[in-house]
Amino acid sequence: MPINPSADAHSTPARPGRWRRPAWVAGGLVGLLVLVVVVGEMSGWPMLRQPMERAMTRGAGVPVVLQGDVKLHLFWRPRLDVDRLQIASDERFKVPHLLDAQGVSLAWTWGDVWRWRQGERLRVHSLQADELDAQLVRLKDGGANWQLGAPKPEDAEPDAVASLPRFGTLLMKKGRIDWSDAVQDVDLKVAVQGSEGEAVTGADAGYVATFNGRYQALPLKLDVRAGSTLPLLQDADGAAAAPWVPLRVQGTVGSSRLLFDGQAAALLGTPRLQGEIQFKGRSLAAVGEPLGITLPQTPPFDLRGTLDHEAGAWRLKAKRAVIGSSQLAGELLFDQREKPAKLSGQLTGSRLALADLGPAIGGKGGDTTKDDATAPGRVLPQRRFDLPSLKAMDADVQVDISQLDFGTTAMAPLQSLKTRVRLAGGVLKLEDLKASVSGGSIAGSTQLDANASPAAWAAKLDFKAIDMAGWLRGLSTQGAPASAPAAKGAATLKKERNQARQGGDQPVQSYLTGQLFGSVNVRGAGRSTSEILASLDGPVQLTLRDGTLSHLATEAMGLDVAESLGVLIRGDQPLPLRCARFDMVARNGVVTPTLAVIDSADSTIRITGDVSLRDESLALRVVTRSHDWSPLSLRTPVTVSGTLADPQVGIEAQGLIARVLGAVALGAAVGPAAAILPLIEQGSTSKVDPCTVAAAPAKEGEKPVTKPAAKPATQKP
């Protein structure tokens, strides 16, 4: 049969059909794959249960078991729904499991899984459970049972919270979390129960959680009630979008009682809080220490206000803060996002009692479990400052207090106290310090540098036009009145002084009056108030203008019997002061007057000696010289010795005994009338202003210092 050449030509079109057959096969395979995916997604991939268990076990490094009904969804929104999920814990952690959850819905993203496989921290998009029991343990070597994948201890995260998986959402109807961390000193148990849904309404809706145990040095015992849902953990990425949840927290934090009533978007991780707060405790320092906040030792406190927290920043608006007897308020921001953390804001109030700051400067009060602030027989506080805490944070707080009370009726309180408290790098400063008192003012600054060894302290203060009688009420001849005016106007004070100087009908109300001017520029070093004062260096200058001095006090200091009797008979009238000046210098804790003089129309009083702040000893000598004639004077120097805690006032008897013996002898030889001759004082008035430095005499009894003559040089032969 001959071959038709055209047959091959007609057969060539059949070749493309052979190529189309694999395309149909591929299409069929794709369709079948899609069908399998659809069926698998709808059925929950039951055939992948065991492979999934094995894969999860390999990835976690510990057995993972899925029990009961298991449904897996791999696409669109990957999640795993399982009746019961168990994740084991390594035997060395001595707990039955890491996680045992029932009615679990676990959601994730494949990007999070890929990043976890690359070594980043695991992030779980959502974990919801009807019941959950988590046992979190970390040992002293750094190994933790939640570090899935069995990492080596040297690879452990230093921060326990940072080592935990991050959760977009964690919800449970009933749960228990036990967290034991030997590295962070945490032993905390959290129990949660509650319900939600359309069938649950009213008081039955919501969750209740209890926190018991210890977080670092801070014991916790809290009852937490939340409405609707309870997001226990919320990572930083999702916290901003998390819905607000009604929240009430009540219980104890350390030795303090806490009540918070408001709303929250997360409780752990990156919390967001808003609400009213009530906080009571025995000392602010006991609250701040575990939290890394530098707060002073104080008496018991009671705080009422509002608290907001978001992204590491805590904002407190204190409507009322009672600390001891102090009444304070203010708005403060504690920002943990800065390194170191920083406290800023404004502190205001109607009254601040100095006694409530006593523990902060080494005095008594606040934590009564510690040793006394002062040793027996001493006055100056000796309790050491907590200097390391000054480096734990920074601060910039404006202070505006209506009244600073010194805690004694003998001294009027300061009014309108304003200053700026700055703490940076361990250096604490009180800048732009201003206050008014008794018609005058005090201004200056102080600084404590904890970086120096020992800590360095410095103070600069200026006093202007302070009425002595109004400020130092203890100078009153009738004692400190219970209702003495705290801050009279300058015109009123001057009018009262003029009335006293003119010898009105009213008796003198104060031993010493006048306007005080002066300055203090001192420095010291130490770890307590007593150590700083024991090393004090610098000048102190005080001047009294337009003042008066009690006539009776003047004669008593000079032992003028006749004048004193006359004053007692006619009444104590004030003597106008020509001048009063006290120039002192501190050297290594010993304060010595370079010029201390009080000059009135009656007498000139000079004070010499020194006061040692090192051992608190006194060695002062008061000499009075009369300006007028007196028939019966026993004038002799008065001495003040002893200590600050037990001062002793005496007289130098040597000169006095000689005068008395002379009077007795003259009376026996001539007659009784002649006995008063040695006791008569003529009096004298110097034309030189005694308050000038040039007029300051050498101390009585001191011999002039002369240099010894130089020895002739010895000539060698």
Side-chain angles (χ1 to χ4, degrees):
M1 182 176 180
I3 299 175
N4 188 356
S6 64
D8 290 337
H10 290 287
S11 63
T12 53
R15 185 173 299 174
R18 291 196 298 266
W19 286 103
R20 286 196 298 269
R21 189 178 304 163
W24 283 102
V25 172
L29 291 176
V30 171
L32 180 61
L33 180 61
V34 171
L35 179 62
V36 170
V37 170
V38 172
V39 173
E41 286 291 301
M42 294 181 62
S43 63
W45 300 98
M47 72 291 294
L48 297 181
R49 174 173 180 163
Q50 291 185 351
M52 184 168 50
E53 280 188 344
R54 291 192 294 267
M56 295 173 70
T57 297
R58 288 194 303 268
V62 292
V64 178
V65 179
L66 305 177
Q67 298 180 358
D69 189 18
V70 177
K71 290 187 177 181
L72 175 66
H73 302 278
L74 300 176
F75 299 97
W76 183 239
R77 293 180 178 177
R79 70 182 187 277
L80 172 65
D81 297 325
V82 58
D83 285 348
R84 187 171 186 178
L85 169 65
Q86 288 183 318
I87 302 177
S89 177
D90 193 280
E91 294 181 355
R92 71 191 186 101
F93 297 104
K94 299 180 181 180
V95 290
H97 55 260
L98 170 63
L99 181 69
D100 186 354
Q102 299 183 29
V104 178
S105 178
L106 177 67
W108 68 90
T109 65
W110 290 113
D112 291 335
V113 174
W114 183 82
R115 285 185 289 270
W116 175 52
R117 299 301 298 175
Q118 298 300 313
E120 295 186 15
R121 181 180 171 190
L122 175 62
R123 182 185 186 275
V124 177
H125 179 72
S126 173
L127 174 60
Q128 302 182 41
D130 293 337
E131 294 187 19
L132 183 145
D133 183 7
Q135 305 283 327
L136 308 178
V137 180
R138 184 160 70 158
L139 305 178
K140 291 183 178 180
D141 63 3
N145 67 342
W146 63 76
Q147 292 166 325
L148 302 179
K152 297 180 181 180
E154 57 267 21
D155 297 330
E157 293 281 352
D159 185 352
V161 176
S163 302
L164 291 168
R166 294 187 301 154
F167 288 86
T169 304
L170 173 59
L171 300 175
M172 67 188 76
K173 294 182 179 179
K174 183 178 181 180
R176 175 185 176 89
I177 301 175
D178 289 356
W179 181 10
S180 177
D181 191 332
V183 176
Q184 294 289 330
D185 188 24
V186 175
D187 187 3
L188 195 62
K189 300 182 185 300
V190 182
V192 182
Q193 62 180 3
S195 59
E196 60 178 311
E198 296 180 357
V200 182
T201 59
D204 295 331
Y207 291 83
V208 175
T210 59
F211 292 73
N212 286 280
R214 184 188 72 257
Y215 184 86
Q216 297 180 358
L218 193 64
L220 296 177
K221 188 175 182 180
L222 298 174
D223 294 326
V224 180
R225 177 176 293 276
S228 180
T229 58
L230 182 64
L232 286 180
L233 291 176
Q234 192 80 44
D235 66 14
D237 296 334
W244 289 106
V245 175
L247 178 67
R248 180 181 176 88
V249 181
Q250 186 173 8
T252 59
V253 180
S255 59
S256 305
R257 294 197 58 81
L258 171 68
L259 173 61
F260 175 85
D261 193 357
Q263 58 183 359
L267 296 181
L268 300 176
T270 308
R272 294 166 61 210
L273 298 172
Q274 291 180 355
E276 300 285 333
I277 187 172
Q278 298 180 19
F279 204 19
K280 297 181 180 181
R282 59 180 175 83
S283 175
L284 287 176
V287 178
E289 182 177 354
L291 302 177
I293 305 176
T294 304
L295 298 176
Q297 289 282 357
T298 66
F301 66 91
D302 185 353
L303 174 67
R304 308 288 176 93
T306 61
L307 180 66
D308 296 332
H309 178 258
E310 185 169 1
W314 296 83
R315 186 179 299 277
L316 172 66
K317 295 182 179 179
K319 301 176 182 177
R320 175 174 175 266
V322 178
I323 304 175
S325 60
S326 301
Q327 303 284 340
L328 303 175
E331 182 174 346
L332 299 173
L333 172 66
F334 182 64
D335 196 342
Q336 295 175 304
R337 297 168 297 183
E338 298 193 24
K339 300 299 180 184
K342 185 175 182 178
L343 180 68
S344 59
Q346 185 176 29
L347 179 66
T348 62
S350 60
R351 181 176 185 269
L352 175 61
L354 187 63
D356 299 332
L357 293 179
I361 58 176
K364 294 182 179 180
D367 189 354
T368 57
T369 61
K370 295 186 178 181
D371 296 337
D372 288 340
T374 56
R378 304 294 289 267
V379 173
L380 302 178
Q382 294 180 321
R383 180 180 295 159
R384 291 186 174 182
F385 306 134
D386 184 12
L387 296 177
S389 67
L390 295 181
K391 302 179 182 180
M393 58 173 267
D394 289 346
D396 189 352
V397 179
Q398 295 285 349
V399 178
D400 188 351
I401 304 296
S402 298
Q403 184 181 92
L404 175 62
D405 195 335
F406 293 99
T408 173
T409 57
M411 181 179 293
L414 298 182
Q415 306 293 329
S416 302
L417 173 65
K418 301 179 186 293
T419 188
R420 182 181 183 183
V421 180
R422 300 187 65 184
L423 175 61
V427 180
L428 176 62
K429 298 180 179 179
L430 299 184
E431 299 178 345
D432 301 325
L433 177 64
K434 298 178 182 178
S436 61
V437 59
S438 299
S441 64
I442 299 176
S445 63
T446 66
Q447 174 177 306
L448 179 64
D449 186 354
N451 298 304
S453 183
W457 177 81
K460 295 182 179 180
L461 298 173
D462 292 320
F463 307 89
K464 292 183 179 180
I466 300 176
D467 182 74
M468 287 289 292
W471 186 22
L472 302 180
R473 298 169 178 172
L475 295 175
S476 171
T477 57
Q478 300 175 351
S483 59
K488 295 182 179 180
T492 302
L493 294 171
K494 187 173 183 179
K495 180 179 179 181
E496 292 179 354
R497 286 196 301 269
N498 290 335
Q499 290 176 349
R501 294 178 64 181
Q502 293 170 4
D505 296 334
Q506 298 296 326
V508 65
Q509 295 297 313
S510 180
Y511 290 111
L512 183 65
T513 68
Q515 287 188 319
L516 178 66
F517 295 80
S519 63
V520 175
N521 188 357
V522 293
R523 59 190 179 276
R527 294 164 293 181
S528 67
T529 301
S530 62
E531 289 184 8
I532 288 176
L533 295 179
S535 61
L536 202 66
D537 285 301
V540 177
Q541 296 179 336
L542 303 173
T543 302
L544 199 63
R545 300 178 185 174
D546 299 327
T548 64
L549 180 65
S550 165
H551 197 170
L552 181 60
T554 302
E555 304 305 338
M557 283 187 286
L559 298 183
D560 192 327
V561 178
E563 288 280 4
S564 299
L565 290 175
V567 171
L568 288 174
I569 293 173
R570 65 177 180 266
D572 189 7
Q573 299 296 334
L575 295 173
L577 290 178
R578 295 198 299 179
C579 67
R581 179 173 175 175
F582 300 88
D583 289 358
M584 298 167 284
V585 61
R587 294 188 180 91
N588 201 23
V590 178
V591 181
T592 303
T594 56
L595 177 61
V597 59
I598 302 175
D599 186 57
S600 70
D602 181 81
S603 304
T604 299
I605 302 171
R606 296 186 182 275
I607 304 173
T608 58
D610 54 54
V611 176
S612 175
L613 301 179
R614 302 179 64 85
D615 57 11
E616 301 187 12
S617 63
L618 301 172
L620 297 175
R621 188 169 184 263
V622 181
V623 178
T624 304
R625 290 288 179 261
S626 177
H627 296 330
D628 55 10
W629 178 87
S630 177
L632 186 59
S633 175
L634 300 177
R635 292 197 189 276
T636 190
V638 176
T639 61
V640 181
S641 58
T643 65
L644 294 177
D646 185 23
Q648 303 293 326
V649 180
I651 60 174
E652 290 186 0
Q654 182 177 0
L656 180 60
I657 292 175
R659 296 180 66 182
V660 172
L661 290 178
V664 171
L666 191 59
V670 180
I676 66 171
L677 294 178
L679 304 180
I680 295 177
E681 186 172 15
Q682 297 296 326
S684 62
T685 303
S686 175
K687 295 182 180 180
V688 180
D689 185 354
C691 291
T692 60
V693 178
K699 297 179 182 179
E700 288 194 14
E702 290 185 352
K703 297 181 179 180
V705 179
T706 58
K707 295 183 179 180
K711 296 182 179 180
T714 304
Q715 296 182 356
K716 295 183 180 180

